[in-house]
Amino acid sequence: MINSTKNIQSPVPGRVYTPRKIPYKVACTSFNLVMLSRSLGLYPNLYSPNNGCANLTIAPSDPVFINYTAAVITRRANADSVKVVTPGTYDTISSPESNLGFFTFPLAIIARVDYQNNKCVTGSTTRNDLAHNATGITVTPQTTATKCVFPSGHVTTISITSVRYSVPDFKSFGNISASVFQSSIPNPLVSAMQDSVTDGTLSNLTIDTLDTKSVMEIRFSGTKVDLLMCSSRRAGIGGNLYLSCIYSIVTTIISEPQPMLPEIVGLRGDNKPFPVPPISSVMIAFDHLPVIGANGSSSAFAVRPLLTESASVAQYLAALGQNFFIDWDDGALYTIFDTADMQKGYEIPAGLFGAVVGIMTFCLIFRIGAEIR
């Protein structure tokens, strides 16, 4: 963890170390959406303007050759949600079982923010291939995040919380989705995806096991994006159709320019050039564990509460500002901690403690005796 004393050289025992937070102002509160493509000039049909001051690109990360020219984006009348349908073909570099569709690559999401010629990218990490007959949440929910600090002083934070689940047959999509989100109230994105499940959008595949169709239901508000993506595939040549789905919440924060902390300037040197951050990075990645019952047994994941984690992580990293500063050129991490020393309290003498206990016991016996009379 960021405040772990393992990251501190010669920590003082008993001292509390807290990474210093810095007040920040948000520089951009509305994004334009770019789906799948990172080149607006090539695929303008995948661009959804929103009067934004920055562009947020959402793209899947999987071994699929997407037919971008055949992709269709539909922006709904309520203006804050879009539907993206993309046909594609899986790569054949996987195992024979994967090539035949009996195992499929788990979905992952990449998010990229472009603001004033500054680019920041992060994504959810991928896991082992999933079996075609898997049901429900098959991969531990995960939150990944990164923070990009630019020479201009702007700080961009991106956080993604993702829940992956599998549907072995189309008719089970509604029930499995309801069990994943633990709610009898339909999720708007799940309801929209149900239409693509039942109207043939996702089932319109050839008998080829490498053929796939993906649908992304996206709802955006300001700098937050909710996304449900499901991909269909066949288990064997002409086999049954199944779905792999991922529900992700992407939260982004762009803060106004901040000066580098004087302590970090002193450690790095006044004349040292500002390190250029990599375009893509994952600064934090952690898994969400299932809820543990009173008897020690694990139960379902608390999906609804953990979907708020994306905003919490993004806000925390944004509050660190120029602190928790990574010098990518030197491979060094600079963190300024505020400290507090614990003061030892006064000990109660054993005699006084015994007297207090004795008086309390006498009063209790006297009270019980009075009530009996």
Side-chain angles (χ1 to χ4, degrees):
M1 298 298 291
I2 294 176
N3 61 343
S4 173
T5 55
K6 294 181 180 179
N7 299 324
I8 303 173
Q9 294 182 356
S10 303
V12 177
R15 178 169 292 176
V16 178
Y17 294 84
T18 305
R20 182 179 301 172
K21 295 182 180 180
I22 303 164
Y24 67 91
K25 294 182 179 180
V26 177
C28 181
T29 59
S30 182
F31 290 173
N32 304 313
L33 274 181
V34 186
M35 272 64 68
L36 305 174
S37 170
R38 297 183 182 179
S39 175
L40 301 184
L42 289 177
Y43 308 107
N45 61 313
L46 299 178
Y47 177 67
S48 183
N50 193 37
N51 295 321
C53 45
N55 288 334
L56 172 62
T57 300
I58 302 294
S61 173
D62 52 27
V64 173
F65 296 107
I66 297 174
N67 186 351
Y68 287 108
T69 57
V72 178
I73 177 173
T74 303
R75 186 159 183 167
R76 295 190 171 86
N78 55 7
D80 65 349
S81 65
V82 295
K83 174 182 179 180
V84 184
V85 181
T86 55
T89 304
Y90 271 90
D91 196 350
T92 58
I93 61 174
S94 302
S95 64
E97 293 82 2
S98 296
N99 291 338
L100 289 173
F102 293 107
F103 287 87
T104 194
F105 201 73
L107 298 176
I109 296 297
I110 294 175
R112 165 177 160 173
V113 175
D114 293 78
Y115 178 73
Q116 295 186 358
N117 297 320
N118 293 324
K119 297 177 177 61
C120 186
V121 182
T122 195
S124 53
T125 59
T126 56
R127 306 298 177 85
N128 296 330
D129 289 358
L130 303 175
H132 69 95
N133 55 356
T135 300
I137 297 178
T138 50
V139 180
T140 305
Q142 184 186 65
T143 294
T144 57
T146 199
K147 182 184 69 170
C148 300
V149 182
F150 300 101
S152 63
H154 288 99
V155 178
T156 298
T157 301
I158 310 174
S159 177
I160 304 175
T161 296
S162 298
V163 179
R164 301 175 179 88
Y165 65 99
S166 299
V167 180
D169 58 86
F170 278 32
K171 64 182 180 181
S172 303
F173 174 78
N175 291 334
I176 292 177
S177 297
S179 66
V180 167
F181 295 100
Q182 305 161 1
S183 175
S184 58
I185 302 175
N187 181 291
L189 298 185
V190 172
S191 298
M193 186 65 70
Q194 182 69 64
D195 294 338
S196 297
V197 172
T198 56
D199 66 10
T201 300
L202 282 165
S203 59
N204 185 20
L205 297 179
T206 67
I207 63 172
D208 191 342
T209 58
L210 297 177
D211 195 17
T212 183
K213 182 74 71 69
S214 297
V215 173
M216 299 171 67
E217 291 288 350
I218 303 172
R219 183 178 58 191
F220 54 94
S221 175
T223 60
K224 174 176 171 289
V225 172
D226 291 62
L227 175 148
L228 174 61
M229 177 180 177
C230 289
S231 295
S232 59
R233 198 177 180 189
R234 293 190 183 277
I237 299 175
N240 294 330
L241 292 166
Y242 64 96
L243 293 171
S244 298
C245 299
I246 182 171
Y247 193 104
S248 295
I249 293 183
V250 182
T251 305
T252 57
I253 299 175
I254 301 176
S255 60
E256 293 184 357
Q258 302 174 0
M260 186 179 293
L261 295 180
E263 297 90 340
I264 295 179
V265 173
L267 291 171
R268 295 184 70 246
D270 293 335
N271 299 321
K272 195 169 185 179
F274 196 94
V276 179
I279 293 179
S280 179
S281 65
V282 175
M283 184 175 288
I284 295 176
F286 58 88
D287 294 335
H288 300 271
L289 300 178
V291 177
I292 304 299
N295 59 356
S297 61
S298 62
S299 59
F301 292 94
V303 171
R304 295 181 67 188
L306 72 83
L307 289 178
T308 63
E309 290 301 312
S310 176
S312 300
V313 173
Q315 291 165 5
Y316 180 74
L317 286 180
L320 291 177
Q322 295 262 5
N323 198 5
F324 199 65
F325 183 91
I326 299 178
D327 190 328
W328 298 99
D329 297 336
D330 292 345
L333 171 64
Y334 298 92
T335 306
I336 305 302
F337 293 91
D338 292 324
T339 61
D341 292 317
M342 305 299 291
Q343 298 294 328
K344 186 177 181 180
Y346 294 102
E347 294 183 359
I348 300 177
L352 177 60
F353 180 77
V356 171
V357 172
I359 293 173
M360 292 177 62
T361 303
F362 173 79
C363 292
L364 179 62
I365 295 174
F366 181 80
R367 174 71 180 272
I368 294 174
E371 291 182 355
I372 292 176
R373 296 193 191 99

